[in-house]
Amino acid sequence: MSTSLKVAVLGCGSVGSQVVRLLREQSDDLAARVGAPVELVGVAVRRIDAPREVDLPAELLTSDAMGLAVREDVDVVVEVIGGIEPARSLILAALEGGASVVTANKALLAEDGATLFEAAEKANRDLYYEAAVAGAIPILRPLRESLAGDKVTRVLGIVNGTTNFILDRMDTSGAGFSEALEEAQELGYAEADPTADVEGFDAAAKAAILASLAFHSRVTAADVYREGISEVTAADVASAQDMGSVVKLLAICELKDDAVAARVHPAMIPRSHPLASVREAFNAVFVESEAAGQLMFYGPGAGGAPTASAVLGDLVTVSRNRLASTRGVGESSYADRAVLPMGETLTRYHVAIDVADRAGVLAAVATAFAEHGVSIQTVRQEGRDDDAQLVVVSHRATDAALSATVETLRGMDIVREVTSVMRVEGDSE
Ligand SMILES: NC(=O)c1ccc[n+]([C@@H]2O[C@H](COP(=O)([O-])OP(=O)(O)OC[C@H]3O[C@@H](n4cnc5c(N)ncnc54)[C@H](OP(=O)(O)O)[C@@H]3O)[C@@H](O)[C@H]2O)c1
């Protein structure tokens, strides 16, 4: 066997500790798969004396991440620190110094992936990041390689386990958002500060990465329309149930007139849709392409060991490439598609309205939709007299026209309250 491949791991937290454990426990298999021994030569952390989830010889630990990233003998740098800095400077320095890089850093890739890809290109080195989206689920490589000969038209993903857990609890127990969030925190599915998850920032970063790969264009987190789940009420969830649907936080990336639309928001999907069966903290990505049709990728979207599985898969690939003195597929942004503003994106709305019990109410509501060019798919009336509610589901229209319709409804004197507004996804109309 040839000389060993030297690996440096930056970060030894939830993911890093599991990467280190697997690297050591599976060293014989990894050596056989790569074609050379894979040797862990250093692990960078912030607090050198903090307890670790993995046994590590003290001489491997360092707090000098930059020194480790640019060490001349290091072949592959694994970045699992997270955040923008110092992760970006470390990755750029590692590439410039001649190492290949594996990272799980969705925040950085979604904010400034272009700088990293250009650096990898210039250095003629690999930059792999399967773990950045949906943890253990292989989805980036299928998009980048397996589907490279097809035309992807749409990617729908449940890519945040925390929000899926919360919405699943609201669906099964009738709990409100705060109660379900509290349970998620008690069970360790939500952070003490859950903002990044519940407000959709994490999912938006993943949507940017998915859209970039699916549509061969550069899409950043700032391009992704984002709405979280903190405003989803028990009434919204019950309303979805009445329609035979379930509420999910979706990352949606699609083509419209050759432009890219990328958005993250809660949506009602029919229970018959494959994504509706994704329960608890699991993730799934549903891909539609011209030739393949519909594909679904499902599994654990987070957690130290599942995420480390994806990191190790990349590590094997980039290590093999190094031994063969070659490089894998780099960034593909040749299509350079524009990103559509949310207002021009086509969506459907579910609107529940408390209305006065008067003749002509239905006609007045229908007129409000028609004035904005929105056609109605179904209207259902629930209750009677003072308790009357209309539930309207629209056909596809621009998001701007739909939100203007809701504004008009809110201003009508026959409308007591618009009690629920939610987008509808996942069926053929
Ligand atoms: N956790 C998941 O389930 C998951 C899933 C998918 C992707 N990811 C991604 O994986 C990455 C790591 O996440 P994580 O959950 O493992 O984070 P984490 O548990 O917070 O671990 C971060 C590690 O980085 C180290 N670190 C922080 N600043 C440093 C610095 N300046 N120099 C050297 N080391 C430094 C910390 O050192 P100390 O231990 O000494 O503080 C810690 O070991 C992130 O990009 C995250 O988005 C995580």
Side-chain angles (χ1 to χ4, degrees):
M1 236 179 232
S2 25
T3 51
S4 71
L5 263 143
K6 296 189 173 44
V7 177
V9 178
L10 312 181
C12 193
S14 304
V15 179
S17 61
Q18 298 309 306
V19 169
V20 167
R21 178 179 67 78
L22 291 171
L23 261 176
R24 303 179 76 203
E25 283 178 12
Q26 302 186 16
S27 62
D28 290 349
D29 284 327
L30 288 171
R33 292 172 196 174
V34 165
V38 177
E39 187 191 347
L40 178 64
V41 297
V43 179
V45 292
R46 190 173 32 191
R47 301 158 302 150
I48 214 91
D49 296 323
R52 301 280 153 204
E53 277 182 36
V54 64
D55 282 336
L56 259 183
E59 64 271 16
L60 284 185
L61 275 180
T62 174
S63 58
D64 178 13
M66 188 54 89
L68 182 59
V70 299
R71 236 173 80 166
E72 269 189 10
D73 60 337
V74 166
D75 297 292
V76 183
V77 168
V78 175
E79 184 277 312
V80 277
I81 290 176
I84 306 302
E85 284 295 346
R88 173 171 42 203
S89 303
L90 291 168
I91 292 175
L92 292 175
L95 289 167
E96 204 176 307
S100 302
V101 171
V102 175
T103 177
N105 197 329
K106 60 211 138 195
L108 176 56
L109 285 157
E111 181 172 308
D112 194 15
T115 302
L116 305 184
F117 297 131
E118 278 159 16
E121 191 72 38
K122 190 163 162 222
N124 198 25
R125 291 289 181 252
D126 278 331
L127 171 66
Y128 272 51
Y129 50 98
E130 181 65 63
V133 179
I137 306 172
I139 177 61
L140 303 190
R141 198 170 313 206
L143 283 174
R144 188 172 46 203
E145 297 177 29
S146 322
L147 290 164
D150 202 342
K151 181 177 182 186
V152 175
T153 50
R154 200 153 190 249
V155 179
L156 280 183
I158 294 175
V159 291
N160 182 272
T162 306
T163 45
N164 202 54
F165 180 89
I166 292 170
L167 292 171
D168 187 45
R169 278 296 185 271
M170 290 174 74
D171 183 51
T172 50
S173 73
F177 169 76
S178 308
E179 204 184 322
L181 169 62
E182 233 168 76
E183 190 185 346
Q185 284 170 323
E186 274 162 23
L187 294 171
Y189 288 120
E191 309 260 341
D193 176 359
T195 314
D197 293 316
V198 302
E199 297 304 345
F201 290 101
D202 174 79
K206 293 164 179 170
I209 295 170
L210 289 170
S212 303
L213 280 168
F215 306 126
H216 302 272
S217 299
R218 283 183 175 165
V219 181
T220 68
D223 295 322
V224 179
Y225 173 83
R226 178 192 54 77
E227 242 177 65
I229 64 161
S230 56
E231 306 286 315
V232 176
T233 63
D236 293 328
V237 172
S239 211
Q241 287 173 347
D242 288 344
M243 293 212 316
S245 295
V246 60
V247 178
K248 295 287 187 191
L249 181 72
L250 295 182
I252 303 167
C253 314
E254 57 197 351
L255 286 180
K256 187 192 168 236
D257 303 333
D258 213 40
V260 175
R263 53 200 163 103
V264 167
H265 55 69
M268 292 181 182
I269 56 170
R271 282 191 194 265
S272 55
H273 192 282
L275 285 174
S277 63
V278 178
R279 304 277 317 274
E280 306 214 313
F282 281 91
N283 281 197
V285 183
F286 190 77
V287 178
E288 297 174 8
S289 70
E290 275 187 5
Q294 300 181 329
L295 306 163
M296 185 152 107
F297 302 81
Y298 170 87
T307 307
S309 161
V311 170
L312 267 281
D314 280 352
L315 178 63
V316 168
T317 304
V318 306
S319 299
R320 284 180 184 148
N321 287 347
R322 271 192 93 88
L323 284 182
S325 300
T326 182
R327 211 182 147 218
V329 189
E331 186 201 22
S332 170
S333 58
Y334 75 93
D336 198 21
R337 294 183 161 105
V339 180
L340 215 58
M342 183 60 185
E344 291 174 37
T345 301
L346 295 180
T347 60
R348 296 170 60 209
Y349 272 27
H350 163 284
V351 187
I353 317 157
D354 260 347
V355 287
D357 178 36
R358 265 193 242 153
V361 165
L362 190 56
V365 166
T367 304
F369 277 81
E371 271 170 7
H372 293 284
V374 178
S375 74
I376 291 176
Q377 185 188 25
T378 58
V379 186
R380 210 175 61 232
Q381 176 159 4
E382 287 171 0
R384 305 195 55 180
D385 305 331
D386 283 346
D387 209 16
Q389 211 187 42
L390 288 181
V391 179
V392 181
V393 178
S394 76
H395 279 296
R396 220 164 263 284
T398 64
D399 203 76
L402 286 159
S403 68
T405 307
V406 172
E407 276 321 296
T408 300
L409 291 170
R410 287 200 165 110
M412 289 167 69
D413 59 357
I414 50 144
V415 171
R416 286 208 203 95
E417 195 188 349
V418 176
T419 52
S420 166
V421 179
M422 194 167 290
R423 296 181 183 88
V424 176
E425 293 290 334
D427 52 13
S428 47
E429 200 318 343

